[in-house]
């Protein structure tokens, strides 16, 4: 019997030795691969947002390669369709099954808010490149944002309008958290600078019909309409504004940059010439970095323009790259987030940094006017407010 036991022990040891190299190789592969879970709306009403972000990620990888700090970068693109429940389920799968090291994207605020507890539990960094409601970064210590906050822009726009002769206005904002942020901060800064809000209107987020809200705004006879809708929906707003003849009514549009989205601006027609908007990026921004970025983006994407969504995704990848270099390839969540705090670089939009106290983006906000340049419509910057932090903090 003892001979059988000795044989079984020897056989077990042999099996262990045979298995050890395979397990070691598998562990080494996992250790050397850094997985990015890219969660975006590639279908549905917000698919243009998903397309822009994914195009920027692919451009970044094409330019920089797929390795950094000894890590092979693997991007797993998942389509959430802009649906919160689907996004939460997919994020859980990315964390548990795919074992991603970081999450990137988040096309809408409700999606970012739903996924935040999962990132906290798993201690995985969550780079928000689209969702812009101020409160988003507060929902997890692992969230870092590279796009913008709504108050960051709205506060500048409202103050600018009052200081430039607009005495009263009506706001039209999509009825969801970022829209409410825009309504609050534009109205607050406008009235603090001497303006008066006549009415606040909130069209639905899904399948919006702006016509009745535009008519109500027209009936109020304001000097201006403050407008905010998500990126990709601005063309519908502009079309219905023009169809109602409001471009000839003398009522000005002063908008968040999403309404005059660079991706679709050139198709809006001359009726939007002169429209004023505020935001952190325009294709026409003058800098060597932006010139190179726009040329490369258009060359890779059939001459289609980038917008703030693509720039934020590109910067999200830049942030990941820099953090991995700073940690010398260490990929644990706390180390990466700590490395990201306080980072600064020159983005296609201008100088940016990550506020170490809030993990939010600090950037210039530009007032822009729609003009025709080289036969195309562009948002042309004419005034800069430098290094703007989120005023909600």
């Amino acid at each position: 019997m003892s001979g059988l036991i000795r044989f079984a022990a020897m056989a077990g040891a042999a099996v262990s030795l045979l298995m050890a190299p395979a397990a070691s190789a598998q562990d080494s592969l996992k250790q050397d691969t850094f997985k990015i879970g890219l969660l975006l709306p590639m279908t549905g009403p917000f698919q243009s947002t998903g397309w822009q972000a994914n195009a920027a990620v692919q451009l970044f990888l094409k330019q920089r390669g797929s390795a950094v700090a000894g890590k092979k970068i693997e991007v797993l693109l998942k389509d959430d369709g802009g649906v919160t429940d689907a996004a939460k389920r997919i994020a859980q799968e990315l964390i548990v099954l795919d074992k991603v090291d970081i999450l990137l994207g988040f096309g809408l605020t409700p999606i970012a808010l739903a996924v935040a507890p999962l990132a906290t539990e798993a201690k995985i960094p969550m780079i928000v490149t689209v969702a812009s409601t101020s409160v988003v970064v507060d929902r997890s210590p692992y969230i870092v944002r590279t796009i913008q906050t709504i108050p960051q822009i709205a506060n500048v726009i409202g103050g600018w309008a009052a200081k430039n002769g607009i005495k009263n206005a009506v706001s039209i904002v999509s009825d969801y958290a970022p829209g409410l942020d825009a309504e609050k901060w534009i109205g607050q800064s406008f009235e603090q600078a001497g303006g008066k809000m006549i009415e606040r209107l909130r069209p639905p987020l899904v399948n919006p019909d702006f016509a009745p809200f535009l008519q109500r705004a027209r009936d109020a006879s304001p000097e201006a309409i403050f407008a905010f809708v998500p990126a990709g929906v601005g063309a519908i707003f502009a079309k219905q504004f023009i169809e109602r003849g409001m471009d000839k009514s003398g009522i000005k549009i002063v908008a968040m940059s999403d309404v005059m989205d660079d991706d679709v601006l050139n198709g809006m027609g001359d009726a939007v010439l002169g429209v004023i908007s505020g935001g952190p990026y325009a294709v026409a921004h003058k800098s060597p970095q932006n010139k190179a970025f726009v040329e490369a983006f258009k060359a890779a994407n059939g001459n289609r323009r980038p917008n703030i969504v693509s720039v934020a995704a590109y910067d999200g990848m830049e942030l990941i790259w820099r953090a991995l270099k700073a940690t010398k390839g260490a990929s644990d969540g706390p180390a990466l987030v700590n490395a990201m705090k306080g980072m600064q670089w020159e983005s296609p939009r201008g100088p940016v940094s990550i506020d170490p106290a809030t993990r939010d983006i600090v950037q210039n906000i530009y007032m822009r006017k729609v003009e025709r340049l080289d036969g195309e419509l562009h948002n042309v910057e004419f005034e800069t407010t430098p290094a703007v932090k989120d005023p909600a903090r």
Side-chain angles (χ1 to χ4, degrees), residues 210-294:
F210 298 109
F213 298 92
L214 287 166
Q215 186 58 51
R216 283 180 61 184
R218 184 173 193 163
D219 292 344
S221 300
E223 293 184 11
I225 292 174
F226 294 143
F228 170 74
V229 297
V233 184
I236 301 172
F237 179 88
K239 181 173 180 287
Q240 294 186 351
F241 182 87
I242 294 162
E243 285 174 349
R244 305 194 76 78
M246 294 180 70
D247 55 312
K248 300 178 178 65
S249 68
I251 300 173
K252 301 174 183 176
I253 294 180
V254 180
M256 299 282 288
S257 52
D258 308 71
V259 180
M260 295 292 112
D261 182 4
D262 277 306
D263 188 15
V264 295
L265 178 64
N266 204 39
M268 292 185 186
D270 287 353
V272 297
L273 282 168
V275 170
I276 302 293
S277 63
Y281 176 70
V283 167
H285 176 70
K286 292 182 179 179
S287 74
Q289 291 82 0
N290 188 51
K291 184 176 185 292
F293 172 73
V294 172

